[in-house]
């Protein structure tokens, strides 16, 4: 199917020409039929030489330009109408400026009412007006020769580029209504992607289901681009979706409230204009950046880099500029000179892609997936290498400043070097000698600083004489062995922690189990204490450690037997 919009000044015969070509009168509202004036979008379709053509008929009155833009926004081609009796008129010019700003490149001009006067003047005016646009030198037909117009329409659609059937769906809604027995129905022009009955789509952060599809008056199970389509939705009320909203592939689009855009054919820009894109019309605050601008949208829209729209000044009935989206997540312009630097970048057509982003995020922004792949992420190779160097330096410095710590907390390192997610730390440090374990990053080896090593040696000397006589709190305080220093000695394999403030040698549990095996079973805590030549302060937590490792087994009466467990390797 091919979708073509009409354009042209009011009362130049757009709807009449569509009716003559299709046999269908596009005006659907009673008010339109009563006044003989197109107010809102109309739709009709036909088949010409085996090609299905759908027409979006738009109003030509200046009061309804917003409706006109909602109809032509997603459409790739236009049939532009000029009446021979009046020639080129103000709304002819505004419609042409809008089409040019929207990036429409394929047009057919049809001169109507050519049976009432010589059409040559209107032809020359149209040729001159189109000459300054990207649609220069369009074919021109006469409504008095419908067969010729049909042939030109066939040639027009045959020149259109093939749409992408596999693209993410973003259907700009132009109508929303309720059908009795079916529920909510929305219509729009499907420019890319494919819709299927049963599909789950996203609207305003919620999921809705495609209950049914209709195109050109027929029920369909699948509709591909480019096509006029009516979508029957399950899971949403008609009041919750309307013109300017979208149905889209879930989790594939980024809603953005601020964008940087290139300006085309810009006139004087006011701070407050209306952005027309797709079928949406959203007030925006404009911050000029040379040949570009930053737009702050009154409401977020699902936009991608490369999207085309226009800025309109509705108070003056003029098109202010065509826009092409350059960035959907621009950096803030807070520091001095940032706006000037950004303007220079955008003037060269340059935008800075994220140096680190998830692949799905790049896709949702409309950016190429290029760079160095790291799991689900894509990174700039130079940026990645610089982060690695920073990470190694930061981890080593942190370890030097915290010589008895288990290592730099992973989250602390992530923030210090500017990684967006903790999951990137381990792959970043792969190939370095840093160790990532238990949520921390540390240099290889577990050496103790000299002051702690000397104190631990004193403890080791004492334990060599009495293996189960743990140093008391005063002794540890004299040696300046606090909780961090003891934890470092345990990690280094020099001591074993039995309980808070109680440490023994690294093989204390196994040695204790060997001694306890010589006792008659079952044995009591007091008997174990005497056999180990220790105090109750040490014996009770030591036996609990042995129980946990299944080296001993505690009975209901509090006595114990020796178990069959083994010590894990440490």
């Amino acid at each position: 199917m091919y979708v073509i919009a009409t354009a042209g000044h009011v009362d130049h015969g757009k709807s009449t020409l569509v009716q003559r070509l299709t046999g269908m009168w596009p005006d659907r509202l009673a008010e339109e039929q009563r006044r003989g004036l197109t107010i809102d979008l109309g739709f009709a379709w036909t088949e010409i030489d085996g090609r299905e053509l759908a027409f979006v008929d738009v109003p030509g009155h200046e009061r309804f330009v917003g409706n006109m833009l909602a109809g032509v926004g997603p459409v790739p081609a236009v049939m532009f109408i000029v009446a021979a009796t009046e020639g080129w008129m103000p709304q002819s010019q505004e419609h042409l400026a809008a089409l040019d700003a929207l990036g429409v490149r394929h047009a057919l001009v049809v001169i109507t009412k050519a049976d009432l006067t010589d059409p040559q003047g209107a032809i020359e005016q149209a040729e001159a007006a189109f000459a300054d646009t990207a649609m220069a030198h369009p074919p021109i037909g006469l409504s008095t020769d419908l067969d010729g117009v049909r042939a030109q329409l066939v040639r027009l659609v045959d020149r259109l580029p093939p749409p992408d059937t596999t693209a993410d769906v973003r259907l700009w809604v132009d109508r929303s209504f309720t059908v009795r027995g079916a529920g909510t129905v929305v219509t729009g022009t499907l420019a890319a992607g494919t819709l299927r009955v049963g599909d789950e789509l996203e609207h305003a952060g919620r999921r809705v289901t495609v209950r049914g599809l209709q195109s050109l008056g027929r029920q369909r199970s699948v509709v591909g681009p480019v096509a006029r389509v009516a979508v029957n939705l399950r899971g949403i009320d008609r009041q919750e979706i309307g013109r300017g909203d979208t149905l889209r592939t879930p989790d594939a689009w980024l809603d953005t409230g601020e964008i940087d855009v290139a300006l085309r054919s810009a006139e004087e820009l006011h701070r407050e204009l209306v952005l027309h894109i797709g079928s949406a019309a959203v007030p925006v605050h404009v911050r000029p950046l040379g040949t570009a601008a930053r737009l702050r949208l009154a409401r977020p829209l699902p936009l991608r880099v490369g999207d085309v729209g226009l800025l309109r000044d509705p108070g003056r009935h003029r098109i202010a500029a065509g826009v092409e989206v350059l960035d959907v997540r621009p950096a803030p312009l807070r520091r001095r000179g940032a706006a000037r630097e950004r303007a220079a970048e955008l003037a060269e057509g340059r935008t800075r892609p994220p140096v680190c982003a998830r692949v799905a995020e790049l896709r949702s922004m409309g950016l190429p997936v290029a760079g160095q792949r790291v799991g689900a992420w894509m990174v700039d190779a130079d940026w990645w290498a610089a982060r690695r160097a920073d990470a190694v330096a930061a981890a080593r410095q942190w370890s030097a400043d915290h010589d008895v710590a288990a290592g730099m907390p992973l989250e602390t390192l992530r923030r210090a070097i500017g990684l967006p997610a903790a999951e990137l730390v381990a792959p970043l440090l792969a190939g370095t000698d840093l160790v990532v374990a238990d949520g921390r990053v540390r240099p290889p080896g577990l050496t103790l600083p000299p002051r702690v090593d000397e104190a631990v040696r004193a403890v080791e000397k004492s334990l060599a004489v009495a293996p189960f006589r743990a140093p008391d709190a005063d002794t540890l305080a004299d040696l300046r062995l606090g909780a961090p220093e003891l934890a470092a000695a345990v990690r280094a394999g020099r001591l074993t922690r039995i309980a808070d403030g109680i440490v023994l040698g690294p093989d204390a549990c196994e040695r204790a189990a060997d001694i306890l095996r010589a006792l008659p079973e079952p044995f009591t805590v007091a008997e174990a204490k005497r056999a180990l030549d220790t105090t109750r302060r040490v014996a009770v937590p030591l036996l609990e450690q042995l129980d946990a490792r299944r080296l001993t087994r505690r009975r209901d009466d509090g006595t114990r037997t020796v178990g069959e467990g083994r010590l894990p390797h440490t």
Side-chain angles (χ1 to χ4, degrees):
M1 184 193 310
Y2 303 93
V3 182
I4 302 170
T6 64
H9 193 76
V10 62
D11 202 31
H12 275 208
K14 295 184 293 298
S15 300
T16 300
L17 179 60
V18 169
Q19 190 274 333
R20 293 180 64 197
L21 290 169
T22 66
M24 304 171 64
W25 189 257
D27 289 347
R28 55 190 170 80
L29 302 179
E31 177 70 6
E32 292 176 315
Q33 296 170 12
R34 183 183 67 80
R35 296 172 59 182
L37 175 70
T38 300
I39 297 172
D40 205 350
L41 303 178
F43 309 98
W45 55 88
T46 190
E47 182 175 313
I48 302 176
D49 288 350
R51 297 158 181 81
E52 291 182 324
L53 273 62
F55 293 91
V56 180
D57 188 37
V58 307
H61 196 284
E62 66 177 4
R63 289 171 52 196
F64 307 120
V65 171
N67 292 343
M68 174 266 182
L69 293 173
V72 301
V75 176
V78 63
M79 183 170 65
F80 202 102
I81 312 303
V82 181
T85 52
E86 292 187 318
W88 199 256
M89 296 291 286
Q91 287 312 112
S92 305
Q93 188 58 43
E94 185 171 11
H95 280 205
L96 180 60
L99 293 169
D100 194 38
L102 289 170
V104 176
R105 297 295 178 263
H106 303 276
L108 166 66
V109 175
V110 178
I111 307 299
T112 57
K113 305 182 183 181
D115 54 333
L116 301 179
T117 188
D118 184 355
Q120 189 58 38
I123 292 174
E124 293 174 356
Q125 290 173 338
E127 288 177 338
F130 272 83
D132 294 329
T133 73
M135 298 168 283
H137 312 299
I140 298 178
L142 301 178
S143 64
T144 51
D145 179 12
L146 282 185
D147 287 340
V149 171
R150 291 188 180 97
Q152 289 172 322
L153 285 169
V154 169
R155 288 193 290 272
L156 174 68
V157 298
D158 284 349
R159 294 196 304 270
L160 295 177
D164 185 355
T165 60
T166 64
D168 296 322
V169 169
R170 179 183 55 180
L171 180 71
W172 291 98
V173 174
D174 53 40
R175 288 180 65 206
S176 174
F177 51 92
T178 300
V179 174
R180 181 173 297 180
T184 301
V185 176
V186 300
T187 67
T189 299
L190 181 65
T194 300
L195 287 172
R196 295 176 176 83
V197 172
D199 278 354
E200 189 176 64
L201 300 174
E202 183 179 345
H203 166 65
R206 63 186 290 188
R207 301 295 176 92
V208 295
T209 302
V210 177
R211 183 179 181 183
L213 293 170
Q214 189 180 94
S215 186
L216 304 191
R218 298 196 297 271
Q219 297 296 324
R220 316 268 183 154
S221 59
V222 179
V223 176
V226 172
R228 285 296 305 173
V229 60
V231 187
N232 183 200
L233 297 173
R234 180 186 297 116
I236 190 169
D237 187 82
R238 172 256 181 277
Q239 303 300 326
E240 298 173 307
I241 187 169
R243 177 171 294 174
D245 291 336
T246 59
L247 291 174
R248 62 220 201 214
T249 301
D251 303 321
W253 294 88
L254 174 69
D255 280 315
T256 179
E258 193 169 52
I259 56 176
D260 282 349
V261 299
L263 300 174
R264 298 194 307 273
S265 303
E267 299 182 13
E268 179 186 358
L269 292 181
H270 294 292
R271 291 289 183 178
E272 307 298 331
L273 296 171
V274 175
L275 172 66
H276 291 267
I277 194 162
S279 63
V282 179
V284 296
H285 175 80
V286 181
R287 179 173 184 174
L289 295 171
T291 59
R294 175 156 298 182
L295 308 182
R296 188 170 69 244
L297 283 62
R299 67 179 176 92
L301 291 176
L303 302 179
R304 287 184 174 177
V305 171
D307 282 342
V308 174
L310 62 83
L311 294 172
R312 184 170 182 265
D313 184 346
R316 298 186 179 184
H317 299 288
R318 69 182 183 93
I319 307 301
V323 301
E324 179 181 352
V325 177
L326 297 178
D327 197 343
V328 295
R329 189 176 286 174
L333 301 175
R334 297 194 183 113
R335 60 180 178 81
R336 184 183 299 273
R340 186 167 53 253
E341 292 175 11
R342 185 58 168 163
E345 289 177 356
L346 298 177
E348 297 177 8
R350 290 189 292 118
T351 57
R352 291 173 289 189
V355 292
C356 181
R358 287 186 171 88
V359 172
E361 184 181 29
L362 291 173
R363 177 181 173 185
S364 71
M365 296 170 70
L367 294 172
V369 179
Q372 180 178 336
R373 186 72 179 256
V374 180
W377 296 76
M378 193 65 68
V379 301
D380 176 82
D382 292 338
W383 177 87
W384 186 250
R387 296 288 76 69
R388 178 181 284 114
D390 290 347
V392 171
R396 291 191 178 281
Q397 184 61 52
W398 199 94
S399 295
D401 296 340
H402 306 77
D403 54 5
V404 295
M408 187 176 188
L410 189 145
E411 179 62 17
T412 302
L413 177 62
R414 182 198 72 78
R415 290 197 301 267
I417 62 175
L419 283 183
E423 67 188 86
L424 291 169
V425 174
L428 178 71
L429 298 179
T432 71
D433 61 353
L434 294 176
V435 177
V436 181
D438 301 323
R440 293 178 178 269
V441 179
R442 58 176 174 79
L446 291 171
T447 59
L448 298 176
R451 62 183 177 82
V452 179
D453 179 71
E454 182 179 354
V456 171
R457 286 181 186 277
V459 173
E460 291 172 330
K461 185 176 181 179
S462 172
L463 292 174
V465 177
F468 302 104
R469 291 276 178 174
D472 58 23
D474 289 341
T475 301
L476 292 175
D478 290 342
L479 293 170
R480 302 181 69 179
L481 289 175
E485 289 77 15
L486 292 177
V490 170
R491 288 193 299 272
R494 301 277 292 276
L495 298 173
T496 296
R497 179 184 179 278
I498 302 303
D500 287 344
I502 301 176
V503 291
L504 297 174
D507 58 350
C509 290
E510 198 165 47
R511 293 179 67 179
D514 288 341
I515 293 172
L516 296 176
R517 286 191 181 96
L519 292 178
E521 293 184 339
F523 54 85
T524 65
V525 172
E527 290 169 334
K529 176 173 71 72
R530 286 192 296 273
L532 297 172
D533 187 24
T534 188
T535 63
R536 186 175 181 84
R537 165 179 166 267
V538 176
V540 170
L542 177 57
L543 287 171
E544 290 174 351
Q545 286 266 358
L546 296 177
D547 293 342
R549 303 185 189 199
R550 297 186 178 180
L551 292 171
T552 57
R553 294 180 181 175
R554 188 177 187 278
R555 292 156 47 107
D556 291 341
D557 60 1
T559 61
R560 284 175 169 81
T561 60
V562 177
E564 300 297 329
R566 296 182 179 180
L567 283 172
H569 293 290
T570 59

